[in-house]
Every structure is written in structure tokens, then in C-alpha cells.
Amino acid sequence: MEKPAIKSYTLAEMKDKYVGEAGSAEREAYEYELSMDVLGRMIKAARQEQNLTQEQLGKLVGVQKAQISKIESSSNSATIDTILKVFRALEAELHFNVRFKNKFIQLR
């Protein structure tokens, strides 16, 4: 007896089904949360690579340790100004890629 074929799904199909269609409020919120999580993990990895504590990084940036902790744990309370200061304190290069209706703009 032949086994039935297993249907496979793309990540986009799974997101559409379980999170919401692309462009929906639910999907936009999910994508935003995911971006903030990735950003927080990048900051934490860079801080640890430089052997800095959250307190030491906070002093370089001019914020409390708790603010660094919130940023690293993907809390959405950080301003873009604070995030930029964090990257400067970590001596990290920051590049922006922006897409406008299928057209990418890259700023360095």
C-alpha cells in the first residue's frame, strides 16, 4: 500500500494561515515584534562580544542598566535615538535598507 504524499508548506503560507495575511494588522504586529527581537539579540551579542556588562553599556549610552536589559529582551520601549546611541557605543556600523513598493533604497 502506498503512503499518501505529505503536503509541505512555505513559511509564508504558515504565517498567512496562523498569523494573518500579509498587510493585515496582525501580520504587521508580528513582523514588528520579530524585528525587535532580532535587533535585541544583535545588541546583546555585540555587547557580549566586547565583554561589556549591561551596566557598562548603559553608562556608555547614558541610560540605566534596566533600559539595556529591556532593549535586549526586545521590549518596544526604546526610542530610535537610544538604539542608535547603543550601536555607536558598541562601535558598530549601522546600515539601513528601505523598500518602497518593490524598490530598495540603501543608506550607509
Side-chain angles (χ1 to χ4, degrees), residues 86-99:
V86 167
F87 279 107
R88 272 189 235 118
L90 292 169
E91 298 177 0
E93 259 185 58
L94 192 59
H95 302 274
F96 290 97
N97 292 309
V98 181
R99 182 174 57 165

Side-chain angles (χ1 to χ4, degrees), residues 40-103:
R41 289 173 186 248
M42 289 171 59
I43 290 169
K44 183 176 183 176
R47 175 183 60 77
Q48 290 174 332
E49 178 73 24
Q50 295 185 25
N51 296 313
L52 292 171
T53 66
Q54 289 178 337
E55 186 171 357
Q56 289 168 326
L57 180 57
K59 285 181 181 176
L60 290 171
V61 174
V63 299
Q64 298 293 316
K65 172 188 180 262
Q67 182 68 20
I68 300 299
S69 177
K70 287 179 184 178
I71 292 169
E72 289 182 356
S73 65
S74 74
S75 175
N76 298 330
S77 64
T79 64
I80 190 70
D81 184 54
T82 301
I83 291 172
L84 291 173
K85 286 179 181 178
V86 167
F87 279 107
R88 272 189 235 118
L90 292 169
E91 298 177 0
E93 259 185 58
L94 192 59
H95 302 274
F96 290 97
N97 292 309
V98 181
R99 182 174 57 165
F100 292 101
K101 297 184 181 184
N102 299 325
K103 181 179 178 182

Side-chain angles (χ1 to χ4, degrees), residues 19-35:
V19 177
E21 295 287 324
S24 69
E26 296 85 4
R27 182 70 166 266
E28 293 294 323
Y30 168 82
E31 297 292 345
Y32 177 78
E33 286 289 324
L34 185 59
S35 296

